[in-house]
Amino acid sequence: MADDTSRVEFTREMKDTYTILTPNMAPIHFELIKNVFNSFGYHLDLLTTTGREVVDEGLKYVHNDTCYPALLSIGQLMHALHSGKYDLNKVALIMTQTGGGCRASNYIHLLRKALKKDGLEHIPVISLNLSGLESNSGFKLTLPMLRRAIAALTYGDLLMLLKNQTKPYELTPGESDGLVAEWIQKLTGLFEAGKAFTQREVRAYFEQITGSFAAIKTEKREKLKVGIVGEIYVKYSALANNGLEEFLFRQGCEVMVPGIMGFMIFKVDNRLQDIELYGGSAAKKQLCTALKWYFTKFEADLIAAVKKYPQFTPPAPYSHLKALAGDVIGHGCKMGEGWLLTAEMMELVESGYENVVCTQPFGCLPNHIVGKGMIRKVKNVYPEANIVPIDYDPSATQVNQENRIKLMLSVAT
């Protein structure tokens, strides 16, 4: 790990006057989480820039063999700093840091290296992590903030799922997207008022949200059902996957993208398995057990809300995905998205989304193994599966990517 003893700390004094820039991944989820942080007195700005200029900016600072998500997220931040929109003496950057074997653990160090290259090393970089890797006196993840952020993630999962299953059939174009925006605004106000984050409240709002999408006037048309899996950043980020969801909508498809909550349960469950295999503190085991229970309750309530309306396809619980994966891949295969990615492909096919786009960032070896490398095994279990792996990297052209997807759709049944 790089020596960051000289890193610039984000101080308490900075909290009131600094704008914190954050790269975007999942637009619905991140918009809600940004608003949660801002309700606690921070000034987060969620970057929405897209296009080739972000890729080119990233290539100035990150080697193209490193990791496409690193290149894009760092490129998006550096592009914003060079835009002239921000006071470079009153700005900070924030990125997640996993602390695991994935190269995402090194994004922070790559970003600081990029800042130093441009003479901007005075800009603080905040590491958003739950592993105690770094701390900043001006940025604290408190329990009230975390509870709202977890609720925001689950609301994001539900809004994404319902929008994707309603949008292809809506009679008034744009109504689903408009309803998403309305709920983001409403939930933000509720969070600021100290509401809508307890499990009882979340359960009630899940039902309200699902009912509001069910009330949208639709016309059932014949649509190809397509699922999207892959490395977590490229799976959700329109910048990374060249607007994959919107492209599929334009091709006359209904889209299913597995939610983030399953990934959160997966990560906590992995820690519990590590403790069981290699040992660990009783306190850590107790915390992870409580977190898994907490996440699983939200997951169960989301599924129950969606099941009340037969026009919607609910996601399967994490426990079912784990059981599916056990038929074809070991649960010890957990680097990156690990066995969960394979399980998501299987669960999508099982749910009627037989056509699957597997988004693969160049240089992400774990996802090539559990994604592209598992397609044959998945097809052995589900012969009807129609899976296409698509590589995303700085040199890949959008035309070639879309042509490969169109070819997959042309043989879909």
Side-chain angles (χ1 to χ4, degrees):
M1 183 178 287
D3 180 11
D4 276 344
T5 54
S6 61
R7 73 178 178 89
V8 180
E9 183 183 356
F10 185 80
T11 65
R12 292 187 184 92
E13 293 74 25
M14 293 175 178
K15 179 179 176 181
D16 294 330
T17 57
Y18 272 53
T19 299
I20 304 173
L21 307 184
T22 179
N24 201 351
M25 183 180 79
I28 298 173
H29 302 71
F30 276 36
E31 184 69 24
L32 282 166
I33 291 174
K34 177 203 78 174
N35 293 343
V36 166
F37 285 158
N38 287 347
S39 71
F40 280 84
Y42 298 100
H43 307 283
L44 258 71
D45 196 353
L46 181 63
L47 302 177
T48 57
T49 45
T50 59
R52 183 68 203 184
E53 61 270 23
V54 175
V55 178
D56 292 338
E57 192 76 12
L59 284 168
K60 295 177 186 175
Y61 307 98
V62 181
H63 193 281
N64 64 350
D65 277 352
T66 301
C67 181
Y68 193 44
L71 187 149
L72 289 177
S73 51
I74 292 170
Q76 196 173 43
L77 288 167
M78 298 304 293
H79 182 268
L81 293 178
H82 295 148
S83 68
K85 183 179 176 181
Y86 303 99
D87 181 349
L88 299 185
N89 293 310
K90 294 288 184 181
V91 69
L93 311 178
I94 189 168
M95 291 190 82
T96 55
Q97 191 175 19
T98 62
C102 173
R103 279 172 288 189
S105 296
N106 296 313
Y107 289 8
I108 293 283
H109 311 297
L110 289 170
L111 179 56
R112 289 187 177 130
K113 184 179 178 183
L115 290 172
K116 187 174 182 179
K117 181 179 179 181
D118 268 12
L120 299 173
E121 59 263 47
H122 65 278
I123 294 177
V125 177
I126 302 166
S127 168
L128 183 62
N129 70 84
L130 297 174
S131 306
L133 296 173
E134 289 183 1
S135 61
N136 292 272
S137 60
F139 190 90
K140 300 290 185 184
L141 288 174
T142 62
L143 184 58
M145 188 189 301
L146 282 171
R147 291 184 69 189
R148 286 162 177 79
I150 291 167
L153 278 179
T154 62
Y155 286 127
D157 278 353
L158 183 61
L159 289 168
M160 178 178 68
L161 180 141
L162 296 172
K163 182 206 77 171
N164 284 346
Q165 293 189 32
T166 306
K167 186 171 181 174
Y169 310 104
E170 61 190 9
L171 289 177
T172 305
E175 192 170 357
S176 300
D177 288 325
L179 192 54
V180 169
E182 284 179 29
W183 273 112
I184 289 174
Q185 185 177 6
K186 183 172 182 176
L187 290 167
T188 297
L190 289 165
F191 286 150
E192 289 173 351
K195 300 176 181 178
F197 66 91
T198 67
Q199 290 195 316
R200 179 181 56 82
E201 291 173 312
V202 170
R203 189 184 309 119
Y205 281 108
F206 277 171
E207 293 181 3
Q208 287 188 36
I209 291 169
T210 311
S212 68
F213 277 87
I216 290 177
K217 288 184 170 56
T218 59
E219 178 185 25
K220 270 297 175 184
R221 314 175 185 105
E222 195 65 32
K223 297 282 182 180
L224 286 176
K225 291 189 173 185
V226 181
I228 300 174
V229 299
E231 187 275 334
I232 191 167
Y233 182 86
V234 180
K235 176 167 70 171
Y236 295 115
S237 169
L239 168 62
N241 62 36
N242 290 324
L244 178 57
E245 282 184 52
E246 290 301 322
F247 169 73
L248 289 170
F249 285 137
R250 292 196 302 272
Q251 301 306 305
C253 302
E254 179 191 318
V255 180
M256 173 74 93
V257 188
I260 292 178
M261 186 49 66
F263 181 77
M264 299 291 288
I265 301 173
F266 168 73
K267 286 299 182 185
V268 174
D269 193 31
N270 285 342
R271 299 291 79 76
L272 286 170
Q273 285 191 312
D274 286 346
I275 293 169
E276 185 178 331
L277 289 170
Y278 311 116
S281 70
K284 184 177 180 181
K285 183 177 180 180
Q286 191 174 16
L287 174 62
C288 290
T289 302
L291 275 175
K292 185 179 177 183
W293 175 86
Y294 192 64
F295 293 159
T296 303
K297 272 291 293 174
F298 279 129
E299 179 192 62
D301 289 339
L302 185 152
I303 292 169
V306 176
K307 276 186 174 179
K308 290 184 179 179
Y309 296 90
Q311 65 265 50
F312 298 129
T313 301
Y318 171 83
S319 57
H320 181 64
L321 271 73
K322 191 172 184 179
L324 284 177
D327 292 336
V328 297
I329 189 171
H331 292 141
C333 187
K334 54 193 179 183
M335 193 63 66
E337 282 61 49
W339 61 257
L340 182 65
L341 194 159
T342 308
E344 285 179 344
M345 289 195 287
M346 298 174 75
E347 193 269 329
L348 283 167
V349 177
E350 191 180 71
S351 299
Y353 295 82
E354 298 168 358
N355 310 292
V356 179
V357 177
C358 187
T359 60
Q360 305 281 174
F362 177 82
C364 187
L365 182 60
N367 281 276
H368 276 71
I369 292 169
V370 298
K372 186 184 296 184
M374 291 301 296
I375 289 175
R376 180 176 294 181
K377 276 201 167 186
V378 172
K379 285 186 173 182
N380 287 342
V381 180
Y382 302 100
E384 70 275 23
N386 180 26
I387 306 171
V388 59
I390 303 293
D391 289 327
Y392 291 89
D393 66 75
S395 62
T397 65
Q398 185 171 347
V399 171
N400 284 344
Q401 291 162 347
E402 292 180 350
N403 282 341
R404 291 200 65 210
I405 296 169
K406 285 179 180 178
L407 182 62
M408 181 268 282
L409 297 175
S410 70
V411 299
T413 54

